[in-house]
Amino acid sequence: MAGNLIVMHGGGPTAVINASLYGVIREAQAAPEVDRVLVAIGGTGGLLKDCVRDVTDLTEEELHGLLSSPASAIGTSRDALELPEYRALASQLEKYGVKYAIMNGGNGTMDTCGKLYAQCTEKGISVMGVPKTMDNDLAVTDHAPGFGSAARYMAGSVAEVCCDVDGLPIHVVVIEALGRNAGWVTAASALASDSYGSGPDLIYLPERAFNEEEFLADVQALIDEKGHGVVVASEGLHYADGTPIVEPVFKTGRSTYFGDVSAHLAQLITKKLGYKSRSEKPGLLGRASIAWQSETDRDEAEMCGREAVRAAVKGESGKMVAIRRLPGETYASETFLVPIEQVMMTEAKMPDSFINERGNGVTEAFKDWVRPLLGSPLPKLMNLRG
């Protein structure tokens, strides 16, 4: 018997979360098992407040616009839910005649997905997860939709800064990258060297405890060698005891609004080494930038959305769609399903093989791994200085 399908977004948006939404809606429109396609406006909180829209009859032109729209076209949230809310969500799904619920998000959303699944099992409602996180810290999946575009943004933008700093070599620039506990996006800045003759000189990841003396020694060596340079640092840098190197501005639940790490490090360079330094903090500019969207990322996001619907109408539930790389010289991937309990609140961090011995850069193995996720080759930046 057919039923309605609903889509909910959770957590921070990305450059391709709407591509997954496109995949879900298009696949659901074509599925005989689906009557109407619904979206919760504003995530789980929207569903609880009856903020639900029927998008079954959107035109192809309207839907196609999702592929190039940043952030979340239906709204997202970071709702803190407890058992009563999960029960209420399940009741709301029944109220709207939902037989298939698709949740698109990262670690927190997959945790929500698993808990909602537990409430929906006896109701005959299928609950499926679609991966999404620019941080790339979801477990099991090779990588997550949203990361490739954020990685492309970081690599391209850092290349432009490297070009600028080389053109006027009077300072050290510290660029701060998003990434709570995992340094994937920070590390992706290393591919700036694919665009420009050189990439960032130093890269600091949250997978390694920050040591101020070593940092200053690294920067002094950079100044002695080049007289200028570019440093990329994760917003989640912390000391060996776990204390953030800059006190967070605000914390609520899992969400941490980090202090200005790049400004702190730039000030350290100026105060301790007596050398001119400045800071840059792209922040949200790099989270959902369509200008730097990776076509590989976009296509895989749509693929995951479509597969979630296919799996749901076949009777699958309590699982997340994951991505697997296929062997071969040319990059290709496929989807597979993973039990939701394997990804609920489980973070995937950078492995040791991707981080250099000093802890201030990445390895060629990482560059080779991440390069295909950025999509088409980065633009080449010219240098006539020799």
Side-chain angles (χ1 to χ4, degrees), residues 35-347:
D35 284 333
R36 307 298 295 176
V37 186
L38 312 176
V39 294
I41 305 300
T44 52
L47 177 57
L48 290 173
K49 298 173 184 175
D50 291 310
C51 296
V52 175
R53 180 184 176 185
D54 189 327
V55 295
T56 312
D57 300 321
L58 287 180
T59 66
E60 174 56 31
E61 181 180 0
E62 290 173 314
L63 287 173
H64 195 265
L66 291 172
L67 297 174
S68 56
S69 294
S72 169
I74 61 174
T76 181
S77 65
R78 295 189 188 276
D79 299 318
L81 306 175
E82 300 295 339
L83 184 57
E85 284 81 22
Y86 285 108
R87 288 173 175 166
L89 284 170
S91 296
Q92 285 290 85
L93 294 179
E94 285 189 305
K95 171 183 171 180
Y96 284 97
V98 171
K99 190 174 181 181
Y100 314 104
I102 310 295
M103 304 203 68
N104 190 184
N107 284 309
T109 303
M110 291 307 110
D111 184 64
T112 299
C113 184
K115 292 173 180 176
L116 181 59
Y117 160 67
Q119 295 299 317
C120 290
T121 301
E122 294 183 359
K123 298 179 182 296
I125 300 173
S126 172
V127 181
M128 291 293 298
V130 175
K132 175 276 325 172
T133 173
M134 64 156 288
D135 291 338
N136 198 44
D137 57 356
L138 273 169
V140 184
T141 186
D142 179 82
H143 56 280
F147 168 65
S149 296
R152 183 176 178 84
Y153 174 92
M154 281 303 300
S157 298
V158 170
E160 293 174 338
V161 173
C162 289
C163 192
D164 185 290
V165 173
D166 279 356
L168 183 62
I170 61 173
H171 48 213
V172 172
V173 174
V174 183
I175 303 172
E176 182 176 336
L178 292 175
R180 187 171 47 238
N181 299 316
W184 299 98
V185 175
T186 307
S189 65
L191 262 66
S193 59
D194 283 6
S195 177
Y196 184 57
S198 62
D201 300 284
L202 299 166
I203 299 173
Y204 296 92
L205 311 168
E207 283 83 358
R208 294 289 184 270
F210 182 78
N211 184 299
E212 185 175 307
E213 291 184 1
E214 289 185 2
F215 168 75
L216 291 172
D218 290 345
V219 175
Q220 184 62 63
L222 172 63
I223 294 170
D224 292 342
E225 179 184 356
K226 292 176 58 179
H228 63 280
V230 175
V231 177
V232 182
S234 166
E235 66 176 353
L237 288 184
H238 56 83
Y239 296 112
D241 64 358
T243 304
I245 68 169
V246 179
E247 184 178 356
V249 175
F250 181 67
K251 294 188 72 173
T252 174
R254 292 180 59 250
S255 299
T256 300
Y257 292 79
F258 290 96
D260 202 333
V261 169
S262 56
H264 172 73
L265 294 179
Q267 289 171 11
L268 270 181
I269 293 169
T270 300
K271 291 179 179 179
K272 300 283 187 176
L273 303 181
Y275 193 82
K276 184 179 179 181
S277 183
R278 64 179 297 155
S279 63
E280 303 287 345
K281 187 174 182 175
L284 300 187
L285 291 172
R287 186 167 78 179
S289 170
I290 290 299
W292 284 104
Q293 185 191 64
S294 158
E295 62 269 30
T296 299
D297 194 25
R298 181 187 63 227
D299 292 346
E300 289 185 335
E302 179 185 342
M303 176 177 70
C304 288
R306 287 181 178 274
E307 182 55 32
V309 176
R310 294 191 194 107
V313 299
K314 289 178 182 177
E316 296 284 2
S317 188
K319 295 180 180 178
M320 184 192 81
V321 177
I323 298 173
R324 176 190 293 124
R325 288 181 191 231
L326 297 176
E329 292 185 6
T330 302
Y331 175 78
S333 65
E334 65 180 7
T335 60
F336 67 101
L337 301 181
V338 55
I340 196 67
E341 59 267 18
Q342 293 184 21
V343 293
M344 294 168 66
M345 299 301 289
T346 302
E347 287 185 314

